[in-house]
Amino acid sequence: MRLFIEKIRLALQKRLKLTENKKSYATWTAKGYKNEPLVSVILQSHNKSLQISHIVSKLRKYSDMEIIVIDDGSNFSHTERLMRLLDGANEFLLRSNDLYENVMYDKAIRLANGKYVALLQDDDDFANLDWVDLAIHYFEQYPHLAILGGKDGLDIVFETDKEYAHGGKYQLLSSSFSFVPAVNRAPMWINKELFLKYLEHIDFSFAPFQFDDYELCARAWLCGLKVARYNAKFTSLSVGGMRLWNSSFTKEQSARNGHKLYERYHQHIPEIHQLVNLANNQISCLSTNSNQQPE
């Protein structure tokens, strides 16, 4: 009945020409929407809207960026705060309820128009935006770089097939930049073109979360791409919201997905190490040659 009444009301409004012209091409262009931003930042939020507000206020200082926030929580008061916050032309809000990182990051990457996509979480903080320019520099320097992490470089370690995998710290070539077997979030940068062409998806069989980032890195190396680490100098606002309220679920997912990761990749770890070492040796050779004085 309410739908029928609304239909009649709108028909009368149209017939009597009571519409209000609120939009025009001039007002649309004035908003400054960028169809092809250089960078897309995707923020995962699980009932942490205050922290997201803090992060977004800093990200807005970068001119060639779009901001996508995944509201993946269950408390609607956080959704309302994010709706009020994200009022810019290049700011978007994706609402889901407990789909978590795997599914929603993958969907958001497809929505993003940026050449380079940075995956962040709701506990990330930074002093300035130097980490963005530095990441772009490395992507431009290494054309086959598909994934760039801003924290520790990690190794994919398996104890046995009965115990879940974990990421031991990898021996870095330098404190500034090194190729590594794996990185985790956040920040976790994605070269979108390489991601769509060669990796296609974050592996949904690891949903809703845990170790899908390790799987993506291992797959990248094995299909001819590269994974690296640099120092983004991030600090933590607090523990991430998703894991804050899901500690027992995290242990369950670690056991389940760790075994899956073992079955799929334990025989490929020597090959991945060889590819990483070869890539780092090429950096060393380039560095040595650049330091030599011409005769």
Side-chain angles (χ1 to χ4, degrees):
M1 186 64 182
R2 291 177 62 186
L3 183 61
F4 177 74
I5 293 172
E6 180 69 4
K7 180 179 180 181
I8 297 298
R9 186 186 71 82
L10 293 175
L12 287 172
Q13 181 176 323
K14 179 181 179 181
R15 181 178 292 272
L16 297 173
K17 298 182 178 180
L18 298 176
T19 55
E20 184 179 351
N21 294 316
K22 294 183 177 180
K23 300 181 184 296
S24 69
Y25 185 75
T27 59
W28 186 85
T29 54
K31 291 181 180 295
Y33 173 68
K34 293 179 179 294
N35 196 49
E36 295 181 339
L38 180 61
V39 174
S40 296
V41 173
I42 300 172
L43 281 154
Q44 176 91 7
S45 176
H46 191 81
N47 295 339
K48 297 282 287 295
S49 57
L50 285 175
Q51 286 81 359
I52 294 297
S53 299
H54 171 79
I55 299 167
V56 167
S57 67
K58 295 184 177 183
L59 291 175
R60 282 172 169 162
K61 297 176 183 178
Y62 198 90
S63 61
D64 202 2
M65 176 186 291
E66 68 178 359
I67 301 170
I68 302 171
V69 176
I70 302 168
D71 175 26
D72 204 6
S74 54
N75 188 326
F76 196 67
S77 66
H78 291 279
T79 305
E80 291 176 327
R81 182 180 287 116
L82 292 173
M83 288 169 61
R84 291 192 297 270
L85 170 70
L86 299 169
D87 58 359
N90 301 288
E91 298 174 359
F92 306 91
L93 179 63
L94 295 182
R95 169 67 181 164
S96 68
N97 191 5
D98 296 337
L99 287 180
Y100 299 151
E101 298 169 350
N102 179 295
V103 173
M104 290 311 298
Y105 271 140
D106 190 87
K107 287 184 178 297
I109 289 171
R110 277 152 229 296
L111 174 67
N113 281 344
K115 184 176 182 179
Y116 307 112
V117 179
L119 308 181
L120 271 63
Q121 298 188 330
D122 54 24
D123 59 330
D124 292 322
D125 198 12
F126 43 86
N128 54 54
L129 292 168
D130 290 350
W131 61 277
V132 177
D133 291 327
L134 189 56
I136 293 169
H137 163 75
Y138 287 126
F139 277 118
E140 291 175 345
Q141 187 172 1
Y142 301 102
H144 291 93
L145 179 60
I147 302 171
L148 177 63
K151 298 201 300 185
D152 297 320
L154 299 174
D155 202 356
I156 304 173
V157 179
F158 301 106
E159 297 298 332
T160 70
D161 62 341
K162 303 296 183 183
E163 298 180 57
Y164 62 77
H166 62 87
K169 287 190 177 183
Y170 194 75
Q171 184 66 41
L172 300 175
L173 176 69
S174 71
S175 60
S176 58
F177 177 90
S178 291
F179 292 109
V180 293
V183 294
N184 61 6
R185 308 177 189 107
M188 184 178 188
W189 286 91
I190 303 287
N191 181 318
K192 186 177 177 180
E193 181 181 3
L194 296 180
F195 176 85
L196 294 179
K197 184 175 181 179
Y198 296 101
L199 300 173
E200 297 183 352
H201 277 284
I202 297 174
D203 192 324
F204 293 147
S205 70
F206 285 76
F209 67 100
Q210 201 68 2
F211 292 144
D212 54 278
D213 43 6
Y214 287 78
E215 191 283 330
L216 191 67
C217 292
R219 186 153 41 100
W221 279 112
L222 295 176
C223 70
L225 303 174
K226 290 181 170 61
V227 178
R229 173 266 179 196
Y230 79 119
N231 186 3
K233 299 180 180 179
F234 270 33
T235 56
S236 179
L237 290 169
S238 62
V239 64
M242 197 276 290
R243 284 174 174 76
L244 180 63
W245 290 288
N246 295 282
S247 58
S248 60
F249 192 15
T250 299
K251 292 179 182 178
E252 179 185 345
Q253 281 295 100
S254 294
R256 177 184 295 109
N257 286 348
H259 181 74
K260 188 192 302 290
L261 196 68
Y262 176 89
E263 289 295 320
R264 191 175 301 178
Y265 290 109
H266 77 275
Q267 73 274 22
H268 295 293
I269 296 302
E271 179 184 355
I272 291 173
H273 285 167
Q274 184 177 15
L275 291 169
V276 173
N277 290 335
L278 178 62
N280 280 323
N281 287 338
Q282 290 174 345
I283 292 180
S284 298
C285 291
L286 290 173
S287 177
T288 300
N289 291 336
S290 64
N291 290 330
Q292 290 179 350
Q293 296 297 322
E295 295 181 359

